[in-house]
Amino acid sequence: MVVVTVALLYVVRRFRSQRGAEPRQLLSGRGLQFRVGGFLTLFATLLFVLGVVFTDNARERPTSGEAGLASLKGEPLKIKATGQQWLWRYDYPNGAFSYYKLVVPADTAVELELLSTDVVHTWNVSDLARKADAVPGKTNRVFFITDDEDKFEGNSATLSGQSYAAMRTAVEVVSPEEYEDFIETQNEEIEAAEDRVNGLIESGDTP
Ligand SMILES: [Cu+2]
């Protein structure tokens, strides 16, 4: 800003009109307009073409590697991620679910189906995948794969209400065996909890 302002002041002082002196006229004719217009069009076309070339792989879908979850036979592991004020719920293929933390097997292509029950939420685990919105009434998809057995943190990226900042998530990448153990444990715990609730209802003590 300082450079531009100083340059402007200099030019205004240097070229201000002087008594009796006729200012120089810049005459160009039609040619110049076409040359400038043509150059800008070419530049815009080039940007467009390069943009398409370099973002084409954004459509690419990963395929599972050798060390991935074998039971899928190369198909991506489909997991539903539902955003609700202000928590993420993950539904795995065989009835298991978890809140806040998503557990996935390493070296396996994951297809996350993003849904929302209320407002727009953004699933944002930037070390694993692109940012994507969970929009009510719509299904968005995010694909990712990693062989890095680690924990990845995700933050909120869209204002989805007063507690949006607390709407974090985490992705834990584990070996396929550990993943299957996790699913089994979740299913057992869910079943045990359901049994407890049903037992209370039968005995008349509503939980
Ligand atoms: Cu949210």
Side-chain angles (χ1 to χ4, degrees):
M1 230 174 75
V2 170
V3 169
V4 169
T5 308
V6 169
L8 199 65
L9 287 174
Y10 169 76
V11 167
V12 167
R13 259 191 75 82
R14 171 93 169 67
F15 297 100
R16 67 183 163 179
S17 70
Q18 271 145 11
R19 210 168 293 226
E22 185 75 5
R24 197 156 58 87
Q25 305 263 319
L26 185 71
L27 294 170
S28 61
R30 286 161 60 105
L32 186 71
Q33 286 161 26
F34 281 113
R35 279 203 299 276
V36 171
F39 174 75
L40 289 177
T41 308
L42 212 70
F43 184 64
T45 313
L46 196 74
L47 275 187
F48 176 73
V49 170
L50 286 179
V52 170
V53 169
F54 285 109
T55 55
D56 194 45
N57 58 2
R59 287 167 196 268
E60 251 170 47
R61 287 172 182 199
T63 44
S64 298
E66 304 256 298
L69 195 65
S71 58
L72 295 166
K73 298 183 179 79
E75 287 289 298
L77 174 62
K78 274 192 191 176
I79 295 170
K80 254 192 227 164
T82 311
Q84 58 191 76
Q85 283 170 326
W86 289 276
L87 194 63
W88 285 103
R89 177 189 161 118
Y90 298 103
D91 284 283
Y92 302 85
N94 26 18
F97 57 83
S98 64
Y99 286 93
Y100 168 68
K101 191 174 77 173
L102 168 68
V103 177
V104 294
D107 209 21
T108 306
V110 178
E111 178 180 343
L112 213 57
E113 279 186 357
L114 294 172
L115 307 157
S116 170
T117 57
D118 38 44
V119 298
V120 176
H121 300 280
T122 300
W123 195 81
N124 174 34
V125 182
S126 49
D127 289 338
L128 275 185
R130 66 181 175 87
K131 246 191 232 176
D133 287 344
V135 183
K138 212 184 147 198
T139 307
N140 273 339
R141 285 185 169 75
V142 173
F143 291 82
F144 65 87
I145 183 170
T146 179
D147 51 10
D148 198 1
E149 286 179 28
D150 204 350
K151 202 173 166 188
F152 299 87
E153 299 284 342
N155 296 319
S156 267
T158 299
L159 184 65
S160 56
Q162 60 177 358
S163 300
Y164 89 101
M167 197 174 162
R168 296 170 191 283
T169 189
V171 179
E172 205 179 323
V173 182
V174 296
S175 71
E177 297 75 41
E178 282 173 298
Y179 170 77
E180 276 171 342
D181 286 349
F182 166 80
I183 294 293
E184 207 171 299
T185 317
Q186 288 296 102
N187 272 331
E188 278 166 16
E189 278 176 12
I190 291 164
E191 209 171 298
E194 278 169 359
D195 285 351
R196 270 202 303 281
V197 170
N198 288 335
L200 284 171
I201 291 169
E202 272 161 34
S203 69
D205 293 329
T206 38

